[in-house]
Amino acid sequence: MGLFDAINSSASGMTAERLRMDVISNNIANANTTRTVEGGAYRRQMVVFEPRNPQPQKSFKSILTGQMDQADQTKIGTGVRVVGIQKDDSPTRQIFDPSHPDADLEGYVEMPNVNVVTEMVDMITASRAYEANVTAVNAAKAMAMKALEIGK
């Protein structure tokens, strides 16, 4: 893994976490949305990640005998990518509010399945992951600067 591979890997993580924070912000903004274009209440959205270029599974025997070639070693830590954004199919909340314009005949309103506390915890997690990737980029940059100082 080279210097730029480390930066690229961290950059992919920052991009993925930024999208995750955007989706979480959208969830919080729509925490009280009872009417959508598709009909019904807003559904919570979640970002799905997967590793970029997942490594094939090696047997213990091949690793033990040292059959890993140099090309396979460079595939370690290639980052993350977003596979998609999925809607949460958990049930929505029903509240009794006959005066609400979206209330049914019995007076119940279908509310989104967004829990603001859960969204805030997810946002803090995404923020910490973003900060960890920034720290990794800064460490790689500092190593490159030290390597350049050796050449002076």
Side-chain angles (χ1 to χ4, degrees), residues 30-36 40-42 93-112:
N30 288 298
N32 292 318
T33 302
T34 58
R35 188 180 310 170
T36 61
Y42 176 80
R93 295 177 290 133
Q94 300 281 331
I95 63 167
F96 183 73
D97 186 4
S99 63
H100 196 282
D102 291 329
D104 61 8
L105 295 176
E106 297 173 357
Y108 286 97
V109 179
E110 181 183 20
M111 297 298 289

Side-chain angles (χ1 to χ4, degrees), residues 6-145:
I7 292 174
N8 285 337
S9 179
S10 295
S12 72
M14 287 190 289
T15 301
E17 294 299 334
R18 184 184 55 80
L19 177 64
R20 184 174 169 209
M21 283 194 271
D22 289 344
V23 169
I24 292 169
S25 298
N26 191 38
N27 288 340
I28 292 172
N30 288 298
N32 292 318
T33 302
T34 58
R35 188 180 310 170
T36 61
V37 175
E38 298 91 23
Y42 176 80
R43 293 280 182 172
R44 179 178 182 250
Q45 296 178 336
M46 300 176 294
V47 179
V48 179
F49 296 148
E50 81 173 9
R52 289 195 305 193
N53 300 327
Q55 281 195 329
Q57 294 292 323
K58 295 232 178 247
S59 69
F60 180 73
K61 181 180 177 184
S62 66
I63 294 172
L64 187 61
T65 57
Q67 294 181 353
M68 292 177 55
D69 59 352
Q70 184 65 25
D72 284 343
Q73 290 180 359
T74 60
K75 292 181 181 175
I76 296 172
T78 55
V80 66
R81 71 182 189 103
V82 175
V83 176
I85 299 172
Q86 293 182 343
K87 289 192 176 190
D88 187 1
D89 290 331
S90 63
T92 57
R93 295 177 290 133
Q94 300 281 331
I95 63 167
F96 183 73
D97 186 4
S99 63
H100 196 282
D102 291 329
D104 61 8
L105 295 176
E106 297 173 357
Y108 286 97
V109 179
E110 181 183 20
M111 297 298 289
N113 57 354
V114 175
N115 184 346
V116 176
V117 175
T118 303
E119 299 301 322
M120 291 303 295
V121 170
D122 286 349
M123 184 171 275
I124 290 170
T125 304
S127 176
R128 297 284 187 240
Y130 189 90
E131 289 173 7
N133 282 306
V134 168
T135 301
V137 167
N138 287 335
K141 194 168 69 175
M143 286 191 293
M145 294 303 292

